Amino acid sequence: MSDKKIALVTGANKGIGYEIAAGLGALGWSVGVGAREQTRRDAAVARLRDAGVNAFGVPLDVTDDRSVAAAADLIAERAGRLDALVNNAGITGGGPQQPSSVDPAVIRTVVETNVIGVIRVTNAMLPLLGRSASPRIVNMSSSVGSLARQSGPGGETSTGPVAVAYAPSKSFLNAVTLQYVRELADTNILINCACPGFVATDLNGFRGVRTPQQGAATAIRLATLPDGGPTGGFFEDAGVVPW
Ligand SMILES: NC(=O)c1ccc[n+]([C@@H]2O[C@H](COP(=O)([O-])OP(=O)(O)OC[C@H]3O[C@@H](n4cnc5c(N)ncnc54)[C@H](OP(=O)(O)O)[C@@H]3O)[C@@H](O)[C@H]2O)c1
């Protein structure tokens, strides 16, 4: 087994996930670029390698059991362990998403990727994380899923428009994260949620105001937490996000 730290970032072919991979790579980590489509995955790996990152492609569709199992096998063969899992892949489900008129199929699709996908990938990777001296899990959430912010003053301005599939999928993800924290409380795995801020990516038609690099910063910090660092938290650049 190599001493080099190894991470898997899901949805790493573009956007914030790509920059998380680049940032971890710049810190000397070996990075598995989890991506479901070969051309996009190969292009991202090539770009990262050109930038000096020890990157390798991991075919990975988070909604597909077999794909996720094969991804775990690939990392087991390559490294024998995993030091950080960044569950970054996510979708909005498109819009508009008014509760009174939403197509239930949209909610199912979003939950399948943003919540069940995270559970599927995490469970496949837990045995590998268990072989790390300092395992970390980062779930890419969003402050749009913060119930406290949505119900507080200025909910509309601080958490974006009404989106009954996307926003609750992130609340669901936050709740699921805390269940893992409770189950794994006796282990050394640090598990946290990250909010990247409003970032210009495909996800929002590039309307975000932050760069993907800025959006990656909190997830990189949480993936590289020192031993004894926080667990069971929800963080953005400015500090703690209220649940
Ligand atoms: N952008 C923001 O302002 C913002 C704010 C808060 C939270 N976030 C969260 O940040 C994360 C990254 O979003 P982003 O803004 O970087 O969006 P993005 O540019 O659209 O990237 C999303 C990534 O997820 C991948 N993905 C989607 N479904 C997948 C699946 N079933 N299996 C594997 N990969 C899949 C996409 O792959 P393909 O290229 O194959 O589609 C892509 O690599 C998401 O969880 C999002 O909810 C974003």
Side-chain angles (χ1 to χ4, degrees):
M1 266 198 250
S2 152
D3 284 344
K4 208 183 225 329
K5 292 269 198 177
I6 176 158
L8 172 65
V9 182
T10 70
N13 54 287
K14 66 180 180 183
I16 299 164
Y18 176 88
E19 291 298 341
I20 295 170
L24 290 173
L27 295 173
W29 287 52
S30 173
V31 186
V33 175
R36 56 185 166 176
E37 203 277 324
Q38 187 179 353
T39 311
R40 291 195 289 273
R41 184 175 61 247
D42 289 350
V45 170
R47 225 177 115 203
L48 286 163
R49 285 188 181 157
D50 283 351
V53 173
N54 184 345
F56 59 98
V58 180
L60 179 56
D61 181 336
V62 304
T63 66
D64 182 321
D65 286 337
R66 278 195 296 186
S67 165
V68 171
D73 288 346
L74 189 155
I75 291 170
E77 257 171 50
R78 186 176 177 104
R81 67 161 205 279
L82 188 62
D83 297 300
L85 168 63
V86 183
N87 286 306
N88 165 79
I91 57 170
T92 64
Q97 292 181 6
Q98 297 302 111
S100 59
S101 57
V102 72
D103 178 350
V106 173
I107 299 192
R108 277 193 206 100
T109 303
V110 172
V111 169
E112 184 63 47
T113 299
N114 294 4
V115 183
I116 299 172
V118 172
I119 295 171
R120 185 181 283 115
V121 174
T122 300
N123 291 351
M125 300 301 160
L126 273 175
L128 292 164
L129 288 160
R131 291 189 214 138
S132 166
S134 304
R136 311 287 180 250
I137 297 173
V138 183
N139 289 339
M140 189 55 91
S141 184
S142 170
S143 61
V144 305
S146 163
L147 300 178
R149 286 202 182 159
Q150 288 180 78
S151 56
E156 177 75 12
T157 45
S158 67
T159 60
V162 170
V164 73
Y166 182 64
S169 79
K170 296 300 188 181
S171 317
F172 194 170
L173 175 61
N174 291 347
V176 162
T177 304
L178 289 178
Q179 295 295 312
Y180 276 101
V181 170
R182 291 176 61 197
E183 183 189 350
L184 300 172
D186 292 340
T187 74
N188 60 350
I189 308 186
L190 303 180
I191 309 172
N192 292 286
C193 290
C195 172
F198 188 34
V199 178
T201 66
D202 266 342
L203 191 93
N204 51 39
F206 295 91
R207 286 192 312 276
V209 295
R210 312 188 77 215
T211 65
Q213 208 167 10
Q214 290 171 323
T218 293
I220 293 168
R221 182 175 75 76
L222 295 173
T224 58
L225 282 173
D227 292 342
T231 190
F234 184 12
F235 299 97
E236 61 188 354
D237 285 2
V240 171
V241 184
W243 297 112

